[in-house]
Amino acid sequence: MSVPRYLDPAAPVADRVRDLLSRMTLTEKVGQVNQRIYGWDAYERTSESHRLTEAFREEVAAFDGIGALYGLQRADAWSGVGFADGLNAQDGARMAAAVQRHVMEHTRLGIPVLLVEEMPHGHQALDGTVLPVNLAVGATWDPGLYAEASAAAGAELRSRGAHLALVSALDLVRDPRWGRAEECFGEDPYLAARLTEALVEGAQRAGVGVVLKHFAGQGATVGGRNSAATELGVRELHEIHLSAARAGVAAGAAGVMAAYNEFDGIPCVANRYLLTEVLRERWEFDGIVMADGTAVDRLVRLTGDPVSAGALALDAGCDLSLWDACFPTLGEAVTRGLVSEQVLDVAVARVLTLKFRLGLFEQSLPPSSTDSGDRERLGELGERIARASVTLLSHVGDVLPLTPATGRIAVIGPNADSLAQQLGDYTAPQRPGSGVTVLQGIRAAVAPGAEVVHARGCDLVGGDVSGVPAAIALAAESDVAVLVLGGSSARAGDTVFEANGAALAGGGMPSGMTCGEGVDLADLALPSAQLALLDAVSASGTPVVVVLVQGRPHALPDLATPASAVLSAWYPGPQGGRAVADVLFGNCEPRGRLSVSVPRSAAQLPVFYNGKDHGYRGYVDQSALPRHAFGHGLSYTDVEYGPPRLSSREVRADAPELTCRVTVRNTGSRPAYETVQLYVRRLSGGTSWPRVRELRGFARLDIAPGSEGEAVFTIDRDTLASVDRDLCIMVEPGEVEVETGPASDRTHCARLKITPPGRQRG
């Protein structure tokens, strides 16, 4: 008996898909576009191990197969999975294998299942290695380092049997009141695009497909409100919010996730313009579109019933659902004529194509064991990211770096000794004793005989200042005070969740959280007790170093007695305390640069650097400028930037090729690790009103004291292109300024003329 074409590994993927699709019933096709059951409901604990549940077996039987299974190994407050009943690395690999064997052995066609896992900052599973959050990754400005970490995280995920990683990468921090700011690389489309490329390319090295979240514009919701409406025009969408997605698709992303928000009044999961016209027709994307959790069910408010809602999303270009009740009714939608079977076939073919490309039919079972050496390497990469992300925002005098022999250091604040509060949202439970807090990192860094004392001072949220006097006394008796403030996305067991896992936060900050999904803020100031602690300790007469452990840029007040230094460590991950200490004591130089502007108050929002250049002069009651601009970050040395030097002052729009060179001199006594930034500012020409400036390149220089380095940028079509009248990426004639410098608000410029195609230079 001959082997069916779809089981022949030598056959082209397109032929295998076509053959398999021709053998499928309508019910089997519907099963392949469904991802209905929660993964943690697919297994249960026994006295000795774990086994598949009857609920999982019934789900497979209902459609004679299953397209994908989400979160088999997810562990967190929402799933309720912990060490008592969840899957460790070895158990996870065994259960993944059991899922595959059951599906392949108990269905007519034996089609393997896609195992889908969250990888927001490492695999969100028990004993999964936790990395710093995306906002910390953005502060590194280091795509190469992130690609290494993504490859290692992907290998860890794949070793436990999963095939697809869901990763937030496409959202931008256009309003830092949004609770999911920590999941963004920053506010800038160019930087996000480069890091999204690194993510996809790194994961591909490990044989893992990436589904990019969220498509599109979710970071631009009105008021920073999660899942709310957007007021984006189509040009703003293309100029700002599609850049990272375009880069990820070009790099080979396996899929994109349709966001909860709407664009132009139509929810993204039902938005044919986004999912078909842009994604499929313009970009020629042939991967899958996955709905966000229960997003298709929300369409019932538009259509009136689940069958029509499922048909609407499918017809718009959604291929794979997530937990909803609508896609399971697609068989009825076809028989009722609400959507054609041919449209369903296209979605099924995309799901099957991905399974063939990932090798599921040949290698559906995971490796028999995991490599502890790989996990150790991933932990080291996470620590490198944390160290590179620490950003020195201000520094007065010579308090930093601290010396290990500093006599007495007071470490104060609610984030000084809390591992959970430096990990971020979407984090699995951690084993007791794992990780290094800031307090522990400082204690390990001081010399014998130096004293480190600690006081919490206040709670993370609320206004209780009863602990402030003791903290002031401790600071006054010390040589320096390190004040560790900020926020937390750590979820407690009493958090209430919606069906899609979003925290219900109405009525106040839940369980001590100030950030995370569903925790949007109207006010970006630190909670009142933290502000009181900051003001009091700063006035104690002892030099104060403020370390902000946070998932969004908090607005900082003007203090009567300014702190000697302020650093942002974002959520630096489990080894973040050691990374912060390394920077404080000068074991490494501060390298972080802001990927998001830091506001003075929520009242001035928006403060992103690349707004339209309308010449606005500012408010009359306060500055309209951010406290710290995009790209900002100080070091422990002094540097001087020369002006940009262009190889030509005029180029043709159809052949824009030149170089830009900039010299940077280290005039201080310590090494300089500079991120040289290249911006383009349009002065004339172009389709739309120009932006103040736009990041179009960056380069790292390592410069010894007293030496100089040269950054060389190739300026080409990608550097000078803009969105034209047809919403295409084109180089438009006109005049621009090419700007270079250490931050978006500190640049030197050189003018460049772009002539129409075919015109000879004068």
Side-chain angles (χ1 to χ4, degrees):
M1 183 177 178
S2 62
V3 175
R5 182 74 162 161
Y6 77 91
L7 292 178
D8 180 3
V13 168
D15 289 353
R16 299 178 76 181
V17 170
R18 199 159 34 244
D19 177 66
L20 180 52
L21 193 59
S22 70
R23 300 170 184 268
M24 297 175 70
T25 66
L26 178 59
T27 298
E28 289 168 334
K29 292 175 182 178
V30 173
Q32 288 302 305
V33 296
N34 269 282
Q35 188 176 205
R36 184 169 60 170
I37 188 173
Y38 298 120
W40 51 91
D41 289 337
Y43 68 90
E44 58 190 356
R45 183 87 188 186
T46 67
S47 58
E48 297 180 354
S49 185
H50 299 83
R51 65 186 176 198
L52 297 175
T53 61
E54 190 59 32
F56 172 74
R57 297 173 188 274
E58 290 175 356
E59 182 71 13
V60 174
F63 297 96
D64 201 23
I66 183 172
L69 180 64
Y70 168 94
L72 177 69
Q73 305 183 52
R74 176 169 176 166
D76 63 347
W78 174 43
S79 65
V81 175
F83 288 105
D85 55 356
L87 304 171
N88 61 25
Q90 289 71 32
D91 291 336
R94 284 195 292 267
M95 275 320 296
V99 165
Q100 291 292 7
R101 279 195 295 268
H102 179 83
V103 171
M104 297 178 72
E105 293 172 3
H106 293 83
T107 57
R108 184 176 69 91
L109 295 170
I111 303 173
V113 58
L114 284 166
L115 295 180
V116 181
E117 294 287 336
E118 296 281 3
M119 197 177 80
H121 45 111
H123 185 192
Q124 190 186 348
L126 298 177
D127 295 329
T129 306
V130 179
L131 299 173
V133 297
N134 280 1
L135 204 53
V137 171
T140 70
W141 292 57
D142 193 338
L145 175 58
Y146 186 49
E148 284 188 68
S150 297
E156 185 174 84
L157 182 143
R158 184 70 192 97
S159 73
R160 295 174 69 149
H163 313 105
L164 288 183
L166 307 185
V167 190
S168 293
L170 309 184
D171 304 324
L172 299 176
V173 189
R174 305 303 276 183
D175 190 329
R177 292 175 295 180
W178 187 37
R180 303 187 75 169
E182 67 190 77
E183 298 179 45
C184 307
F185 293 127
E187 69 186 40
D188 178 73
Y190 180 87
L191 180 60
R194 303 291 76 79
L195 292 168
T196 300
E197 288 172 342
L199 161 68
V200 173
E201 292 166 0
Q204 284 177 334
R205 296 177 204 167
V208 170
V210 173
V211 175
L212 299 170
K213 304 191 300 185
H214 303 87
F215 191 74
Q218 186 169 257
T221 54
V222 176
R225 299 167 184 168
N226 193 45
S227 303
T230 64
E231 294 179 347
L232 290 173
V234 66
R235 179 163 297 279
E236 181 83 3
L237 178 77
H238 280 264
E239 288 182 348
I240 298 294
H241 296 277
L242 293 184
S243 295
R246 189 185 303 113
V249 164
V256 299
M257 177 177 282
Y260 287 123
N261 61 277
E262 49 83 17
F263 171 69
D264 194 26
I266 301 174
C268 291
V269 75
N271 198 305
R272 187 173 181 80
Y273 174 75
L274 282 175
L275 304 186
T276 297
E277 291 184 36
V278 172
L279 191 61
R280 303 294 186 191
E281 296 171 3
R282 281 179 177 259
W283 298 355
E284 299 181 343
F285 177 62
D286 63 354
I288 65 167
V289 172
M290 182 187 298
D292 208 336
T294 71
V296 180
D297 285 351
R298 297 184 180 196
L299 301 180
V300 174
R301 293 184 64 188
L302 298 180
T303 66
D305 71 284
V307 181
S308 300
L312 179 63
L314 182 73
D315 194 56
C318 181
D319 304 309
L320 187 63
S321 66
L322 185 58
W323 316 324
D324 66 89
C326 294
F327 258 37
T329 70
L330 285 176
E332 182 180 348
V334 170
T335 59
R336 284 170 51 183
L338 298 176
V339 67
S340 71
E341 189 167 357
Q342 288 72 26
V343 171
L344 177 61
D345 285 351
V346 171
V348 175
R350 290 179 185 137
V351 173
L352 296 177
T353 297
L354 180 56
K355 292 183 177 185
F356 282 117
R357 286 176 175 171
L358 292 173
L360 267 65
F361 284 80
E362 285 71 53
Q363 299 175 347
S364 60
L365 301 183
S368 58
S369 63
T370 56
D371 189 340
S372 59
D374 289 342
R375 188 176 184 204
E376 182 178 344
R377 178 173 175 271
L378 179 54
E380 292 171 353
L381 287 167
E383 188 173 339
R384 284 175 57 191
I385 291 174
R387 198 177 293 116
S389 71
V390 176
T391 307
L392 182 59
L393 299 178
S394 64
H395 190 203
V396 180
D398 58 357
V399 173
L400 293 180
L402 302 175
T403 62
T406 300
R408 193 171 196 254
I409 302 174
V411 183
I412 299 168
N415 275 347
D417 195 30
S418 173
L419 180 67
Q421 290 170 198
Q422 59 188 55
L423 299 183
D425 203 1
Y426 280 85
T427 301
Q430 302 296 294
R431 293 192 183 274
S434 63
V436 179
T437 67
V438 175
L439 174 63
Q440 292 168 337
I442 292 174
R443 280 181 169 156
V446 299
E451 185 181 6
V452 177
V453 293
H454 170 245
R456 183 173 171 83
C458 69
D459 291 333
L460 187 82
V461 300
D464 183 0
V465 295
S466 59
V468 172
I472 297 172
L474 205 65
E477 298 168 355
S478 301
D479 297 290
V480 65
V482 178
L483 190 54
V484 191
L485 306 174
S488 173
S489 298
R491 297 196 182 275
D494 60 349
T495 302
V496 179
F497 296 96
E498 293 185 271
N500 66 352
L504 293 172
M509 295 180 182
S511 306
M513 295 177 68
T514 64
C515 198
E517 184 172 5
V519 188
D520 309 322
L521 298 182
D523 186 357
L524 290 174
L526 292 169
S528 59
Q530 288 196 52
L531 289 175
L533 180 65
L534 172 60
D535 188 55
V537 174
S538 297
S540 67
T542 298
V544 174
V545 176
V546 177
V547 176
L548 297 167
V549 175
Q550 56 186 355
R552 60 152 57 84
H554 281 93
L556 300 179
D558 293 312
L559 297 174
T561 306
S564 298
V566 179
L567 302 92
S568 181
W570 310 112
Y571 290 144
Q575 305 305 320
R578 184 159 49 231
V580 169
D582 281 344
V583 174
L584 290 176
F585 286 91
N587 298 324
C588 67
E589 304 300 306
R591 302 188 184 193
R593 297 295 182 265
L594 288 176
S595 65
V596 60
S597 303
V598 177
R600 299 171 186 271
S601 75
Q604 26 158 215
L605 297 178
V607 293
F608 46 75
Y609 85 99
N610 55 349
K612 294 287 187 174
D613 189 7
H614 290 287
Y616 177 67
R617 291 187 294 275
Y619 300 108
V620 297
D621 61 336
Q622 64 176 269
S623 172
L625 299 176
R627 185 168 296 280
H628 301 294
F630 174 82
H632 171 74
L634 303 177
S635 61
Y636 293 151
T637 190
D638 297 311
V639 295
E640 294 179 353
Y641 275 69
R645 307 187 307 277
L646 304 182
S647 61
S648 175
R649 291 302 182 107
E650 183 176 310
V651 294
R652 283 183 4 210
D654 58 343
E657 295 182 8
L658 69 153
T659 58
C660 173
R661 299 175 182 271
V662 57
T663 300
V664 182
R665 183 168 183 81
N666 182 355
T667 61
S669 59
R670 295 180 64 90
Y673 298 92
E674 279 295 297
T675 299
V676 184
Q677 299 160 36
L678 175 83
Y679 297 89
V680 172
R681 181 186 181 205
R682 182 166 285 277
L683 302 177
S684 66
T687 297
S688 66
W689 199 265
R691 297 185 180 275
V692 174
R693 55 183 50 86
E694 298 176 87
L695 180 71
R696 292 299 172 89
F698 52 90
R700 175 63 54 82
L701 292 181
D702 299 347
I703 313 171
S707 300
E708 65 181 33
E710 184 178 69
V712 181
F713 297 97
T714 298
I715 296 180
D716 55 16
R717 178 185 181 278
D718 291 338
T719 313
L720 299 174
S722 55
V723 179
D724 70 4
R725 285 179 172 80
D726 298 321
L727 302 176
C728 296
I729 308 298
M730 298 290 292
V731 178
E732 299 180 284
E735 192 170 21
V736 302
E737 283 184 340
V738 177
E739 302 180 338
T740 55
S744 62
D745 63 341
R746 288 176 285 141
T747 59
H748 299 286
C749 67
R751 291 201 173 194
L752 175 67
K753 187 175 183 180
I754 306 172
T755 62
R759 177 178 170 181
Q760 298 296 317
R761 298 180 185 176

